[in-house]
Amino acid sequence: MDDRVHPEVRRTATEIDTMEIRGAATIADAAARALRMQATESDAADAEAFRADLRAAARALHETRPTAVSLPNALRYVLRGMSSTTVEGLRQNVVDSADEFCARLERAQADLGEVGANRLRDGDTIMTHCHSTDALACVEAAVEQGKHIEAVVKETRPRNQGHITAKRLDELGVPVTLIVDSAARRYLNDVDHVLVGADAVAADGSVINKIGTSGLAVNARDRGTPIMVAAQTLKLHPGTMTGHTVDIEMRDTSEVIDDETLAELGNPTVKNPAFDVTPPRYVDAIVTERGQFPPESIVILMRELFGEGTSEPWAEPSSRAEP
Ligand code: RI2
């Protein structure tokens, strides 16, 4: 990693990579705070050196996980705030932008929760996949509205993030039934909504989320169970408006099976994609802090928020691409 990157920023990057820090919104929050740390600790002699330090830190964070677009969106937000021509001015710019970003993120999640809660009725049962703070914000708001909600929670192999969801729901007083992933179809008859988060939403309304979401959505459609995606606008992928595709992260096979068991099986090839793509026709609503949208119309919001494209302000000026 680049020497200019502060040790605390390196630590954040490593923790995102190893998933000690995980979940699209949490990753974005951690990345903004890391840039803030880089700025407050930078001993750059002049404004250009300071900018280079910040770009190096942003690249280190950006290189960790490729799919959750909240990460580059967070980096872009903070770096774009750098307008001063002095080191002290730039430092303050970064601190202000990072603080503003984190506050907006928190507010967006709370506002999104209110919208999502309106879709849930008293007595409803939801089915969840993985662990999404955006999705849980909807349940929390519904509970605060006095609604009784129950949940069927998929464990979500290979990392079992469903366990985190089960714990959080229990803390909210929501009765939980934990199931293995392959039991989902069996229990879809008993639930009123499938409620999931997103790591990225593409311009055509496709939802990129934890592996297994697309199969769950197809089964839910077959059973007539509505599928609701909780995704604050930070999850909208501006690059998809100009034809870019979302990179699906392939993670280490050790998350799926240990070496010893693998050898006993004759060393078959193991694949461990972290995410999949759910086409818009299987999604009933994308719930954001700006209201709920049919997936096909999310591009309108995307254009309003991001214009026609994006830049990569962490790239060195000579190699900067403006997609
Ligand atoms: P929030 C997670 O990915 C899940 O796919 C989840 O739906 C998504 O991030 C969004 O999380 P991972 O980091 O931003 O566990 O809603 O691979 O918290």
Side-chain angles (χ1 to χ4, degrees), residues 1 37 43 73 81 91 98 126 128 185 216 280 282 290 303 322:
M1 215 178 275
M37 165 72 72
D43 54 7
N73 283 347
R91 204 188 312 277
I126 56 163
T128 66
R185 193 166 198 277
L216 175 63
Y282 296 109
R290 300 281 298 265
R303 275 205 199 101
E322 302 279 341

Side-chain angles (χ1 to χ4, degrees), residues 299-321:
V299 67
I300 297 166
L301 181 62
M302 223 180 248
R303 275 205 199 101
E304 183 190 322
L305 295 173
F306 296 97
E308 285 298 327
T310 54
S311 62
E312 294 188 345
W314 47 83
E316 285 309 306
S318 53
S319 61
R320 192 167 294 168

Side-chain angles (χ1 to χ4, degrees), residues 16 19 21-28 65 68 70 105 109 112 129-136 156 159 161 164 196-200 208-211 213 230-232 234-235 249 251 274-275:
I16 294 173
M19 292 180 68
I21 296 173
R22 53 145 295 279
T26 308
I27 290 170
R65 295 190 73 192
S70 53
L105 194 146
Q109 196 163 72
L112 168 158
H129 185 57
C130 201
H131 166 247
S132 156
T133 54
D134 280 354
L136 285 181
T156 318
R159 294 187 69 107
Q161 289 99 323
I164 308 170
V196 295
D199 294 81
I208 296 86
N209 193 47
K210 183 56 53 193
I211 189 77
T213 304
Q232 53 178 298
L234 184 64
K235 316 288 177 63
E249 177 182 8
R251 293 193 60 84
F275 303 102

Side-chain angles (χ1 to χ4, degrees), residues 21-320:
I21 296 173
R22 53 145 295 279
T26 308
I27 290 170
D29 185 77
R33 288 175 199 275
L35 287 184
R36 188 188 197 281
M37 165 72 72
Q38 180 79 37
T40 55
E41 297 295 315
S42 170
D43 54 7
D46 57 45
E48 200 30 64
F50 182 92
R51 285 178 177 277
D53 278 6
L54 266 289
R55 284 197 297 269
R59 281 197 299 276
L61 294 160
H62 186 239
E63 281 159 12
T64 53
R65 295 190 73 192
T67 304
V69 73
S70 53
L71 174 56
N73 283 347
L75 300 173
R76 226 173 258 129
Y77 189 101
V78 176
L79 295 184
R80 278 193 182 152
M82 295 200 297
S83 57
S84 178
T85 51
T86 66
V87 170
E88 279 321 308
L90 287 168
R91 204 188 312 277
Q92 194 58 48
N93 288 158
V94 173
V95 167
D96 291 347
S97 308
D99 288 350
E100 187 181 278
F101 177 83
C102 295
R104 283 179 74 147
L105 194 146
E106 207 172 310
R107 232 176 14 245
Q109 196 163 72
D111 291 348
L112 168 158
E114 295 295 328
V115 178
N118 291 336
R119 290 182 65 88
L120 304 176
R121 291 156 306 175
D122 188 23
D124 274 355
T125 300
I126 56 163
M127 180 180 285
T128 66
H129 185 57
C130 201
H131 166 247
S132 156
T133 54
D134 280 354
L136 285 181
C138 303
V139 182
E140 187 172 356
V143 169
E144 274 168 14
Q145 289 172 0
K147 293 171 182 167
H148 177 81
I149 306 291
E150 300 201 2
V152 176
V153 171
K154 294 178 70 201
E155 59 180 358
T156 318
R157 280 271 292 152
R159 294 187 69 107
N160 291 320
Q161 289 99 323
H163 294 183
I164 308 170
T165 300
K167 191 159 186 285
R168 297 278 179 271
L169 288 170
D170 180 61
E171 286 161 4
L172 293 174
V174 171
V176 169
T177 302
L178 184 69
I179 59 167
V180 296
D181 294 311
S182 42
R185 193 166 198 277
R186 157 71 180 76
Y187 286 96
L188 274 170
N189 281 348
D190 302 344
V191 309
D192 303 288
H193 306 265
V194 168
L195 171 58
V196 295
D199 294 81
V201 176
D204 69 348
S206 296
V207 171
I208 296 86
N209 193 47
K210 183 56 53 193
I211 189 77
T213 304
S214 63
L216 175 63
V218 171
N219 278 331
R221 175 64 83 238
D222 181 52
R223 294 273 160 129
T225 311
I227 176 152
M228 153 181 175
V229 175
Q232 53 178 298
T233 54
L234 184 64
K235 316 288 177 63
L236 303 182
H237 195 305
T240 58
M241 285 190 291
T242 48
H244 292 266
T245 51
V246 180
D247 197 5
I248 300 292
E249 177 182 8
M250 298 298 290
R251 293 193 60 84
D252 203 276
T253 55
S254 62
E255 290 184 341
V256 177
I257 190 166
D258 62 74
D259 285 348
E260 201 184 326
T261 315
L262 190 64
E264 281 169 19
L265 304 184
N267 286 311
T269 302
V270 179
K271 303 268 191 204
N272 185 20
F275 303 102
D276 64 20
V277 181
T278 301
R281 64 183 178 279
Y282 296 109
V283 175
D284 289 276
I286 299 177
V287 171
T288 79
E289 75 275 19
R290 300 281 298 265
Q292 65 167 358
F293 292 79
E296 293 81 2
S297 67
I298 203 77
V299 67
I300 297 166
L301 181 62
M302 223 180 248
R303 275 205 199 101
E304 183 190 322
L305 295 173
F306 296 97
E308 285 298 327
T310 54
S311 62
E312 294 188 345
W314 47 83
E316 285 309 306
S318 53
S319 61
R320 192 167 294 168

